[in-house]
Amino acid sequence: MIRSIIWQPDFDFVCIRIGILKVSFTADTDELAGGDEIAMDLESAKNVVLDTLIEASSQNVSLLKPAEQKLKSWEIQPGFYPILQSIFSTYSIDVNVRWLAVLYFKNGIDRYWRRTAPNAINEEDKETIRRQLLTRFDEPAPQVALQLAVVISKIARVDCPRNWPELVPTIMEGLKQNDDFLQRRLLLTLHHVIKTLSAKRLPADKKTFREFTRTFFNFIAELWNNHTETFLNKASTNIESAVTSCLEPSQLSLKIAKKLMVHGMTEISEFPNALTTIEVVFQRLEQMLQIRRQIEDYALKEKLEKKIIHLVKVLSVVQINHPVCFIRFIQRALTFTSTYVFTQAAENLNFERFIIECMNIMKAIVTCDEYKVVKLIEAKTEPSRIQASKIKEEFFTESVLTEIGTRLLTSYFLLTPEDLYNWENDPEDFTADEVGESWKYGLRPCTEKLFLALFHAYESMTPLLLKLVESVQGETDVENMTSILQKEAVYNAVGLSAFELYDEVDFDQWFCNQLLKELQNKHPRYKIIRRRVINVVGQWLDVKLSPSLHPLVYQAVLPLLSPQEDLVVRITAAKTLKIAIDDFEFRSENFEPYLETSFSLLFQLLQQVSECDTKMHVLHVLSFVIERSGACVQPHVSHLVQYLPLLWEESSEHDMLRCAILSTLVHLVQSLGTLSVNLYPFLIPIIKFSTDLNQPPHVYLLDDGIELWQEMLRCAPSLTPDMLQLFDNMPPLLELGSENLKKCFMITTSYLLLNPEEFLKTYSHVIFQGCANLIHELKPEGVVVICKLIETVFKLFPIRGPEIFRPLLPTIFEGILEKEAYPILMSIYLSLFARLILKNQSFFFKFLEEVGTMWNQQPEDILEQLLSFWCEYMVKITQPERRKLTALAFTTLLPCTSRAVVTLFPDLFYPIVEVFHDVMREDNGSQFDYLVMGDRDDLDDEYETEHDKRKRQLSLQDPVFNTPLHEYTRAQLMVCEQAFGAERFQSLIGSVDKEIREQLEEFLK
């Protein structure tokens, strides 16, 4: 009996034709000892899978887990998915088991349907599945029917229409049958199929979808109209029956029509039925709104509201995607939205979500570029754009704008009872910033967006707002909540339109004469105005407020941060303080008198708020105070330093709050400088945790953790054992090769400068391995970072350093001789060998012998190639420091009796003399090398970090900065004369170009 239900004759024929279906399952020990594979006939295989699904749907964990493992192991077995299909197609099986079967079926289709997928479903099974799906549109269980619709859409995305051309025609044919239940299931399936196909973006797929639209749109539009008409007829006698039976097919057919209009039509005007459908949408909206007013049952009303919202969204998406075609509906849309949102007559008809969608349509029309005419090029503007602009101009008359603007500011801008309740009961949520596209879904942000769009587009909105501002000036009766809310709404509008009102409002005068007085009113009800006023001040701060008045802002903010003030006001004041401190005109000396108080009050606020997001906001404000105040903040941070470890522990479930803590610590360490050593018991463990790739939260914390690590090292006076051990986290970070790689090498450099001996003794192998693994993988910019680290090691350890990186030097040398490195990298390559020549000649010549053996060449020939190229390349080395380094290296080589040096002896003087011209300066008749630093005791190191000082000390040991080029050259020429003998030396000098020789003699006087 079951078999007759499951299998249709055509599928039985397929089974007979291909023989007994072979399905390999690994049975448990009760069924199959040793887990051997067995071949079972179709019915037996189905029973095994069905039993396993029953176990997987049970609440018994001992049954559930093994069953899930079995099902997972069968995912890639041929024949598994047809068996699943047979199970969820058997309506006599428990619905929960069938629902689980279809879920496994859907997941398998998602993973293994594509031919290129690993363990892809074979073609025979695919054919079976597709054929069976086309016979199963009468699924009784809604949850199973939904999953089946999704399954069909997933297959359609891959196979339709090439491998499954009959899908859409079959659905369309079924929709013509006079069967309401079947129609709902078919519409559900078609909705998901069309939704999936419309998302495909390849040109061929888009063309196919447009062909679907041309073929089927008229039918779908007519279907929607018929179902809607049926709904309206039934609603006149029995609203409940109409909503439950007719609304779903009407809704689904409209969703399908919407997708076809948006993605399947290049020009809607080419489809008369589409234009008619949009016209009908306006009519249906008005009818549905009237019906909604008659419904008292909440559930029924909610269903109808969804339908109404979807009708409005059809207008919205058509306007966005086909703005030119929508021009003929602009007048109708503006009239409709204005009537139902901004007139008293429609108050009982509309509802919040409907108002939001209507406002968004009006805003979209006002801001649409296709409907704007630029006066300067009006003659060249398209007729459609002129037409749209004219329609808008005729609609938005001064009286209409006044009515809309007044309604917005006196009704929609007002805080609602729900807002005030939220203020009192959840103040932190009330102050949460609106983010992203909240204006699409929230009434307040949507209202503000529409107001700004109108204010920006139409000058007549400015006098209206100024008039309202004038009307709310002066003292407000604290007992009159309506007056308080009206003033708050007007002030909100002034804050939002700060840029547009720049020339209309003398904000300095308003701030001093009115707003400061508003802030001094401490009545409990007046907190609404205090909060809005300090918010407006923040909005105008960087628009039009004189820098001389900034101290007044600090004075105004501080009382609003006190614990006696309302929490919403305190949080808003903190945000304004952040804006004030982050202002371009900020002067730390002006803020210093308020630093201690503001820091103390912000810290108390941080302790008292409880929400993660609020703590983050307050921490960001504290970070700005610390960053902008610098060392001045040192006396005031002790309580924060004690509190942050506790906050870190409490925020174990809030990774973004921990990011804010790390960011705050970065600024704190910068401000404390060497005093940050007192934070090490807290800093080092959290840096270790944040940069440990084995810790799951590293995904969020890594960037800030690395930055804190870097800053701690920059300010450290010395290297501690714990700090050294922290470097154990570095090898995995280097292997990760993320965008933080440069910072990782900078951290490594900081370690080198902190304690070169100790660090290199412990981690030289790690440094080398990290460089060796990356030098072949990175782009030239990344290799530059690696080579700068190697150069630092060479500076610190001229003898040991080259030995550490010996295996890498042939690669670098090869890069020089192949002449392929880009200029910055090539100059660093050459600098590395210049330092070898200067400080470790024995290693350099031994290295040449090794390279000669590797390349089967004479060392002399290799050296000649190197020097010849180096002399030519000198013009591309632009940094004076690296040019001088090259000149010092060439001068060092002059006494060498090597054949290569003797051959190129005159050529070496060209770059040397060029560098003399670069670095020599004249003062009081004597010449000096301006790159020589001396002791540089005159430097103001107030703003230097310990890292900067260590870098300066290293530079003082560098021949480039401590060796005058003219003195060194003079000494080397004397050594050269001794090495070659006077006669040979004169002969070599004589081979140098006369002009070059004369210039050299002039520099050496």
Side-chain angles (χ1 to χ4, degrees):
M1 179 178 177
I2 293 176
R3 186 177 178 83
S4 63
I5 296 174
I6 299 174
W7 303 112
Q8 301 298 320
D10 56 341
F11 182 69
D12 280 336
F13 172 76
V14 171
C15 290
I16 294 168
R17 181 171 59 82
I18 63 173
I20 299 175
L21 181 64
K22 301 288 185 180
V23 185
S24 297
F25 295 101
T26 304
D28 57 29
T29 53
D30 292 336
E31 296 179 74
L32 253 178
D36 296 330
E37 291 187 350
I38 59 171
M40 294 175 285
D41 61 42
L42 187 59
E43 202 65 33
S44 301
K46 191 193 96 169
N47 291 334
V48 171
V49 176
L50 178 58
D51 291 342
T52 308
L53 284 167
I54 292 171
E55 292 174 359
S57 63
S58 72
Q59 302 301 313
N60 188 336
V61 178
S62 62
L63 295 175
L64 187 147
K65 291 296 181 184
E68 286 180 344
Q69 292 174 2
K70 282 185 186 178
L71 290 167
K72 178 133 187 93
S73 69
W74 294 339
E75 281 183 358
I76 59 174
Q77 297 293 346
F80 177 59
Y81 294 102
I83 289 175
L84 283 178
Q85 188 177 29
S86 74
I87 291 172
F88 65 68
S89 299
T90 305
Y91 302 154
S92 59
I93 296 175
D94 181 74
V95 69
N96 290 325
V97 177
R98 295 200 302 116
W99 182 67
L100 186 60
V102 79
L103 285 176
Y104 270 97
F105 186 77
K106 181 187 72 173
N107 294 336
I109 296 297
D110 210 20
R111 291 176 191 151
Y112 307 115
W113 191 267
R114 290 185 180 276
R115 286 185 300 172
T116 55
N119 304 302
I121 298 172
N122 62 58
E123 292 301 321
E124 289 180 327
D125 284 356
K126 285 183 180 181
E127 183 61 33
T128 301
I129 289 168
R130 284 192 293 257
R131 183 180 293 108
Q132 279 300 299
L133 286 173
L134 291 181
T135 66
R136 290 296 172 187
F137 293 115
D138 56 349
E139 171 58 52
Q143 67 268 43
V144 178
L146 176 61
Q147 296 303 325
L148 273 174
V150 173
V151 165
I152 291 173
S153 71
K154 287 180 178 295
I155 295 175
R157 183 177 181 86
V158 180
D159 288 358
C160 193
R162 180 177 298 177
N163 296 323
W164 207 9
E166 63 272 22
L167 172 63
V168 177
T170 301
I171 294 174
M172 290 299 177
E173 195 62 33
L175 286 171
K176 295 176 183 178
Q177 298 180 28
N178 190 21
D179 185 335
D180 292 342
F181 176 78
L182 182 61
Q183 271 203 354
R184 285 203 296 273
R185 290 293 184 256
L186 288 166
L187 282 171
L188 177 65
T189 303
L190 184 61
H191 162 60
H192 283 279
V193 169
I194 294 299
K195 183 179 177 180
T196 299
L197 296 180
S198 67
K200 299 175 77 172
R201 289 291 173 263
L202 291 177
D205 295 324
K206 292 168 76 172
K207 181 181 178 182
T208 300
F209 193 73
R210 287 195 293 269
E211 290 172 358
F212 279 156
T213 302
R214 276 193 291 272
T215 306
F216 300 117
F217 177 78
N218 291 347
F219 175 76
I220 294 297
E222 184 180 351
L223 195 64
W224 167 70
N225 202 28
N226 291 340
H227 281 298
T228 307
E229 194 68 42
T230 304
F231 166 79
L232 293 171
N233 292 333
K234 280 191 176 183
S236 61
T237 56
N238 189 332
I239 293 177
E240 182 175 353
S241 172
V243 170
T244 54
S245 64
C246 303
L247 207 56
E248 183 186 355
S250 173
Q251 184 84 326
L252 288 170
S253 52
L254 182 61
K255 287 181 178 180
I256 296 166
K258 182 181 73 173
K259 288 291 182 185
L260 294 175
M261 282 192 286
V262 171
H263 299 288
M265 300 180 183
T266 307
E267 294 289 338
I268 284 185
S269 55
E270 297 175 1
F271 294 79
N273 274 14
L275 299 174
T276 304
T277 299
I278 297 171
E279 288 282 359
V280 174
V281 165
F282 285 105
Q283 300 172 17
R284 300 310 188 200
L285 269 169
E286 294 173 351
Q287 294 169 321
M288 299 267 184
L289 287 167
Q290 293 292 341
I291 294 173
R292 174 188 169 275
R293 184 164 58 178
Q294 304 169 27
I295 299 177
E296 295 182 0
D297 182 86
Y298 176 79
L300 295 178
K301 182 176 282 192
E302 188 177 31
K303 288 182 179 180
L304 189 58
E305 285 178 356
K306 287 182 179 179
K307 173 68 175 178
I308 293 170
I309 293 302
H310 197 75
L311 285 166
V312 183
K313 283 185 175 180
V314 170
L315 301 177
S316 182
V317 297
V318 170
Q319 189 279 323
I320 292 170
N321 290 277
H322 300 287
V324 176
C325 296
F326 195 79
I327 288 174
R328 68 185 70 199
F329 303 108
I330 290 178
Q331 177 69 42
R332 182 76 180 270
L334 290 175
T335 303
F336 177 85
T337 55
S338 178
T339 301
Y340 283 95
V341 177
F342 299 110
T343 64
Q344 199 76 23
E347 277 194 350
N348 295 327
L349 293 173
N350 59 29
F351 54 97
E352 184 172 306
R353 281 298 310 278
F354 173 73
I355 293 171
I356 292 169
E357 295 298 334
C358 287
M359 284 187 176
N360 286 337
I361 286 180
M362 182 175 282
K363 180 189 78 70
I365 292 173
V366 171
T367 58
C368 181
D369 290 335
E370 298 293 335
Y371 305 156
K372 294 178 181 177
V373 175
V374 180
K375 296 295 182 183
L376 296 176
I377 55 171
E378 187 169 352
K380 297 181 180 179
T381 305
E382 303 92 328
S384 61
R385 185 172 291 201
I386 295 174
Q387 180 190 359
S389 179
K390 185 178 179 181
I391 294 171
K392 286 166 56 182
E393 189 176 337
E394 290 174 351
F395 178 82
F396 287 112
T397 61
E398 187 171 344
S399 61
V400 170
L401 285 169
T402 301
E403 182 181 358
I404 293 174
T406 303
R407 184 82 167 169
L408 282 170
L409 292 171
T410 60
S411 178
Y412 291 113
F413 261 63
L414 298 183
L415 292 173
T416 64
E418 183 183 351
D419 292 329
L420 297 175
Y421 177 84
N422 194 23
W423 181 319
E424 296 297 335
N425 293 278
D426 195 354
E428 294 182 48
D429 179 68
F430 181 84
T431 58
D433 294 327
E434 301 288 351
V435 294
E437 296 185 334
S438 58
W439 57 270
K440 289 184 177 181
Y441 315 104
L443 182 58
R444 181 163 304 283
C446 163
T447 303
E448 293 173 353
K449 283 283 186 181
L450 175 59
F451 170 77
L452 281 177
L454 292 169
F455 199 89
H456 184 71
Y458 299 103
E459 295 178 356
S460 58
M461 293 288 286
T462 302
L464 170 64
L465 179 57
L466 294 177
K467 183 179 178 182
L468 287 170
V469 171
E470 188 66 29
S471 70
V472 298
Q473 293 308 290
E475 292 187 11
T476 303
D477 182 4
V478 294
E479 300 302 326
N480 188 339
M481 182 58 76
T482 302
S483 298
I484 290 175
L485 293 178
Q486 187 58 68
K487 176 178 275 193
E488 193 275 344
V490 173
Y491 281 8
N492 183 16
V494 174
L496 292 170
S497 52
F499 286 99
E500 282 78 8
L501 290 175
Y502 183 90
D503 296 321
E504 306 295 335
V505 175
D506 184 347
F507 191 78
D508 287 1
Q509 183 180 2
W510 193 39
F511 173 66
C512 295
N513 298 339
Q514 175 68 27
L515 298 183
L516 285 177
K517 293 178 183 177
E518 306 263 26
L519 293 175
Q520 292 164 7
N521 189 331
K522 297 300 181 182
H523 191 280
R525 280 192 170 186
Y526 216 71
K527 65 185 180 182
I528 295 174
I529 302 300
R530 292 198 300 275
R531 176 249 180 180
R532 180 53 64 190
V533 167
I534 202 62
N535 177 257
V536 170
V537 171
Q539 290 169 307
W540 276 82
L541 250 170
D542 56 355
V543 176
K544 194 180 183 182
L545 184 69
S546 300
S548 60
L549 295 178
H550 283 196
L552 275 180
V553 175
Y554 308 145
Q555 293 175 27
V557 166
L558 293 182
L560 302 180
L561 285 170
S562 72
Q564 291 73 40
E565 183 58 87
D566 176 80
L567 185 57
V568 170
V569 179
R570 294 171 70 193
I571 294 170
T572 307
K575 293 177 181 179
T576 297
L577 182 60
K578 176 180 176 292
I579 295 170
I581 294 172
D582 196 30
D583 187 72
F584 180 75
E585 300 287 349
F586 176 80
R587 297 289 178 270
S588 58
E589 58 272 17
N590 293 338
F591 184 68
E592 193 167 346
Y594 314 99
L595 175 60
E596 181 178 1
T597 306
S598 62
F599 203 90
S600 173
L601 292 172
L602 285 170
F603 176 65
Q604 291 179 58
L605 178 59
L606 176 65
Q607 289 181 297
Q608 292 170 16
V609 295
S610 57
E611 294 293 328
C612 174
D613 285 347
T614 317
K615 285 186 178 291
M616 283 173 56
H617 282 302
V618 179
L619 265 178
H620 282 310
V621 181
L622 278 166
S623 292
F624 270 93
V625 172
I626 294 168
E627 181 184 9
R628 302 307 294 270
S629 302
C632 297
V633 83
Q634 290 180 3
H636 315 299
V637 298
S638 58
H639 292 299
L640 179 63
V641 168
Q642 294 171 17
Y643 175 66
L644 285 178
L646 176 63
L647 183 59
W648 178 269
E649 294 302 323
E650 291 176 348
S651 60
S652 59
E653 301 299 321
H654 303 285
D655 293 321
M656 298 312 296
L657 178 54
R658 284 191 161 184
C659 287
I661 296 171
L662 291 169
S663 179
T664 302
L665 285 169
V666 170
H667 298 307
L668 197 56
V669 170
Q670 288 172 341
S671 298
L672 291 175
T674 55
L675 295 177
S676 60
V677 295
N678 298 319
L679 297 178
Y680 286 179
F682 172 49
L683 285 183
I684 293 176
I686 69 169
I687 293 173
K688 185 176 182 63
F689 177 83
S690 303
T691 59
D692 184 353
L693 298 187
N694 294 318
Q695 298 290 344
H698 85 270
V699 176
Y700 304 97
L701 307 179
L702 183 60
D703 291 354
D704 293 303
I706 287 176
E707 190 172 353
L708 179 58
W709 190 357
Q710 183 181 0
E711 204 56 47
M712 180 186 70
L713 293 172
R714 289 173 63 84
C715 297
S718 60
L719 184 66
T720 67
D722 288 341
M723 198 186 299
L724 179 63
Q725 190 179 8
L726 189 59
F727 198 77
D728 289 338
N729 278 15
M730 184 58 69
L733 295 176
L734 295 177
E735 290 179 17
L736 184 64
S738 66
E739 62 275 6
N740 289 310
L741 200 56
K742 184 176 181 179
K743 288 184 179 179
C744 289
F745 277 101
M746 292 172 71
I747 287 171
T748 306
T749 302
S750 296
Y751 272 106
L752 278 166
L753 297 180
L754 257 173
N755 192 327
E757 288 289 346
E758 182 70 20
F759 179 65
L760 211 60
K761 175 184 174 183
T762 310
Y763 290 107
S764 60
H765 65 289
V766 173
I767 300 173
F768 166 75
Q769 200 59 53
C771 294
N773 292 340
L774 291 167
I775 198 166
H776 298 291
E777 304 294 331
L778 298 179
K779 293 180 179 179
E781 296 84 352
V783 181
V784 166
V785 176
I786 292 175
C787 289
K788 284 184 177 180
L789 174 65
I790 296 174
E791 187 176 24
T792 301
V793 176
F794 281 16
K795 289 179 184 179
L796 291 165
F797 301 97
I799 306 302
R800 286 174 53 200
E803 292 293 343
I804 293 172
F805 293 100
R806 192 183 201 108
L808 282 182
L809 291 178
T811 300
I812 295 173
F813 195 72
E814 189 174 353
I816 295 174
L817 296 186
E818 288 182 354
K819 309 174 185 179
E820 292 181 356
Y822 86 126
I824 295 177
L825 182 56
M826 180 62 80
S827 67
I828 297 178
Y829 279 173
L830 293 171
S831 295
L832 291 176
F833 285 95
R835 293 192 180 279
L836 289 179
I837 293 168
L838 266 173
K839 291 291 188 177
N840 199 342
Q841 274 196 44
S842 62
F843 178 92
F844 175 70
F845 284 108
K846 189 179 294 185
F847 171 76
L848 289 179
E849 291 177 5
E850 293 175 1
V851 172
T853 303
M854 290 168 55
W855 295 355
N856 198 23
Q857 293 184 39
Q858 291 297 319
E860 292 285 349
D861 295 334
I862 295 173
L863 179 59
E864 187 172 346
Q865 290 179 57
L866 172 64
L867 294 178
S868 178
F869 167 72
W870 205 337
C871 290
E872 293 175 6
Y873 196 82
M874 191 66 179
V875 293
K876 295 184 181 180
I877 301 176
T878 56
Q879 292 175 284
E881 297 87 350
R882 297 200 181 279
R883 289 174 64 81
K884 180 179 174 182
L885 182 62
T886 295
L888 290 171
F890 284 178
T891 305
T892 303
L893 285 174
L894 291 178
C896 295
T897 56
S898 165
R899 172 171 56 81
V901 174
V902 172
T903 303
L904 295 171
F905 193 87
D907 296 332
L908 296 177
F909 279 91
Y910 285 93
I912 292 173
V913 172
E914 281 182 11
V915 175
F916 268 112
H917 285 287
D918 294 337
V919 303
M920 298 302 290
R921 300 288 186 269
E922 188 170 340
D923 183 26
N924 296 327
S926 63
Q927 296 191 82
F928 67 96
D929 183 341
Y930 87 94
L931 286 179
V932 175
M933 295 172 64
D935 293 335
R936 306 303 292 263
D937 292 331
D938 58 325
L939 286 177
D940 180 11
D941 60 357
E942 181 182 354
Y943 298 103
E944 279 192 321
T945 64
E946 294 300 305
H947 179 73
D948 295 327
K949 295 175 184 177
R950 289 188 283 268
K951 283 174 65 179
R952 180 152 50 86
Q953 286 301 316
L954 180 60
S955 295
L956 289 172
Q957 302 169 26
D958 189 341
V960 174
F961 300 107
N962 68 12
T963 303
L965 181 60
H966 58 295
E967 294 181 7
Y968 186 74
T969 304
R970 188 184 298 118
Q972 284 298 105
L973 288 174
M974 294 174 61
V975 175
C976 187
E977 184 175 8
Q978 293 175 3
F980 286 100
E983 184 177 347
R984 180 78 187 280
F985 175 71
Q986 289 301 325
S987 173
L988 288 171
I989 288 293
S991 65
V992 178
D993 181 84
K994 180 180 179 183
E995 185 178 348
I996 295 297
R997 193 169 63 246
E998 290 173 354
Q999 293 178 36
L1000 178 64
E1001 290 172 355
E1002 187 66 28
F1003 281 119
L1004 296 182
K1005 282 183 180 179

